[in-house]
Amino acid sequence: MKKFSTIALLIAVAFPVMASSQAFAQEAVNAAKAGKCTFLPDAPDKHVVVKGDTLWDISAKFLSNPWCWPEVWGMNRDEIRNPHWIYPNQIVYFDRVNGRLRLGQAVGGSGADGSAKDGGRLQPQVRTENTGKNAITAIPSNLIEPFLSQPLVIEKDTLLTAPRIVATQEGRVILAKNDKAYVRGDLKGGTSFQVFRPGVPLKDPENNTVIGYEAVYLGTLKLERTAKTPDGVDSFIVASAKEEMAVGDRLMPIPPTPIQNYVPHPPERDVRARIVSIYGGVSQAGQNQVVSINKGASAGLNIGTVLELSRYGKIIQDKTDEKKPIRLPDEHYGSLFIFRVFDNISYGLIMTVTDTVAVGDLATSPE
């Protein structure tokens, strides 16, 4: 039988900052007793880290629930936001004789990309530095990058106050790159803006009320000249155009570059949410697609939260007593990684699933 303590020993190597924490050890024991974070019976002897790996993928090779490794490793909120990373060409060993896992790297160290410096011979060592850009990420960041820096949800109050395009140079109907646009509204000192258009209304599956609007991202504008009179307009140049812009489209400041190396963790309190929409307007989704749910920061969600995806159990007739309908249990079929959070809506990346995801399905705290 594999010992749960091997996880703690892996992290003593891969995450040395946490290894001495008594609280971490106790949390690992508690998680083991709860049965959440156990080794797979067919866990491999080792895994060589390659470019394109993610911490989620590697964890899935050893643990029954890959999302739970930060909880087992006792990572606090600061470490979740800025964790230590693993690099290509390192090896995660499962030492069955001594009952532990450990992280190894090439003899003589490695370069910035984790490559070996002396012929590729490998030996277990501790990595305590070089947390640079070549480290592997928690999840496939390329799948969510377009959603991190672009508006996804527009709240009603935002629509009322957002600056808007009111005219175009020479009365053009549509705007493309390098065209000029004239804008009215409070820029609040900003000079670079994203342009969006209110899209599909997002309705809460619980009560059918509109909780927001999906934003259609159009491109970016750069301030060229501010208005000189109270009734004047600000002049902008189209810096980039993903889609055609027109009079009436709205502006939002370009947000700062987001942190992308998020670490999965369960919500701090019980969450029972529903799938509101599937990005792209389709009716069903699968692995690596993006969905929205009807819970956000006000419900305690934050970036990195992992929820279980389930479908409501069907109501059927009890064949032994046709007068009494019965409800089958909700069927769990996957995980959802929350990567962007608004007040009452969140966006998540569908991780491993065994069934298709549909609007109205459940997204709940992991059991």
Side-chain angles (χ1 to χ4, degrees):
M1 180 179 294
K2 301 176 181 64
K3 297 181 181 179
F4 187 83
S5 60
T6 57
I7 294 180
L9 290 169
L10 166 63
I11 308 312
V13 179
F15 296 84
V17 173
M18 296 174 285
S20 62
S21 170
Q22 293 181 352
F24 148 60
Q26 187 59 49
E27 287 179 14
V29 171
N30 293 341
K33 290 180 178 179
K36 287 184 178 180
C37 300
T38 57
F39 282 112
L40 293 169
D42 58 348
D45 292 326
K46 66 179 181 179
H47 172 74
V48 180
V49 181
V50 298
K51 186 176 180 180
D53 271 350
T54 64
L55 292 175
W56 184 289
D57 294 336
I58 293 173
S59 298
K61 293 181 181 295
F62 294 97
L63 298 172
S64 58
N65 291 311
W67 61 263
C68 73
W69 55 265
E71 176 185 342
V72 175
W73 296 344
M75 298 179 73
N76 60 39
R77 282 291 174 260
D78 289 338
E79 290 158 338
I80 283 175
R81 290 179 62 84
N82 186 24
H84 297 269
W85 297 112
I86 300 173
Y87 288 76
N89 286 349
Q90 290 184 299
I91 300 178
V92 177
Y93 290 97
F94 188 178
D95 187 342
R96 299 181 188 273
V97 175
N98 296 312
R100 66 176 186 140
L101 292 170
R102 65 177 186 264
L103 186 67
Q105 68 182 64
V107 172
S110 62
D113 61 352
S115 57
K117 286 186 177 180
D118 70 347
R121 290 185 296 114
L122 296 169
Q123 172 179 304
Q125 293 184 5
V126 175
R127 177 181 289 278
T128 58
E129 56 183 2
N130 190 13
T131 56
K133 64 180 181 180
N134 295 309
I136 66 172
T137 57
I139 63 171
S141 58
N142 63 299
L143 298 176
I144 63 174
E145 283 173 356
F147 303 96
L148 297 178
S149 59
Q150 299 173 6
L152 294 179
V153 172
I154 308 171
E155 297 176 324
K156 294 179 181 178
D157 292 342
T158 303
L159 279 177
L160 296 175
T161 59
R164 63 196 184 279
I165 298 175
V166 295
T168 62
Q169 189 176 28
E170 299 176 351
R172 294 179 181 177
V173 177
I174 59 175
L175 293 168
K177 186 175 180 180
N178 297 324
D179 286 345
K180 185 172 290 187
Y182 301 107
V183 173
R184 290 191 68 182
D186 185 2
L187 303 181
K188 298 181 179 179
T191 59
S192 296
F193 291 82
Q194 295 173 330
V195 185
F196 64 92
R197 184 176 299 145
V200 177
L202 299 175
K203 295 184 178 180
D204 192 327
E206 300 286 352
N207 52 32
N208 208 37
T209 59
V210 175
I211 54 179
Y213 296 87
E214 281 195 342
V216 179
Y217 175 72
L218 306 177
T220 58
L221 292 180
K222 182 80 173 176
L223 180 65
E224 182 184 50
R225 186 175 57 186
T226 57
K228 302 302 182 183
T229 61
D231 61 346
V233 294
D234 300 305
S235 299
F236 280 81
I237 295 294
V238 178
S240 65
K242 181 180 179 181
E243 296 188 26
E244 296 172 346
M245 304 175 197
V247 171
D249 291 336
R250 306 288 175 136
L251 277 64
M252 290 184 65
I254 294 179
T257 302
I259 300 172
Q260 296 181 7
N261 290 337
Y262 306 124
V263 177
H265 58 277
E268 295 180 351
R269 60 179 189 260
D270 188 56
V271 172
R272 188 175 178 84
R274 302 278 298 278
I275 302 294
V276 173
S277 70
I278 298 169
Y279 197 81
V282 296
S283 60
Q284 294 184 324
Q287 185 172 343
N288 293 335
Q289 288 185 262
V290 172
V291 300
S292 63
I293 62 173
N294 64 339
K295 300 293 182 183
S298 61
L301 297 183
N302 54 25
I303 294 172
T305 298
V306 172
L307 301 174
E308 286 187 345
L309 292 170
S310 303
R311 186 159 290 122
Y312 275 113
K314 295 180 179 179
I315 298 177
I316 63 173
Q317 288 295 124
D318 182 352
K319 293 183 178 181
T320 66
D321 185 352
E322 293 186 1
K323 294 182 180 180
K324 294 182 179 179
I326 57 175
R327 181 185 291 275
L328 299 179
D330 296 339
E331 295 294 333
H332 165 65
Y333 63 82
S335 299
L336 184 68
F337 184 95
I338 301 300
F339 64 85
R340 192 162 184 191
V341 180
F342 301 87
D343 286 341
N344 298 303
I345 303 174
S346 297
Y347 277 80
L349 179 68
I350 299 170
M351 305 305 290
T352 304
V353 288
T354 58
D355 202 349
T356 55
V357 182
V359 172
D361 283 355
L362 295 168
T364 60
S365 300
E367 296 182 356

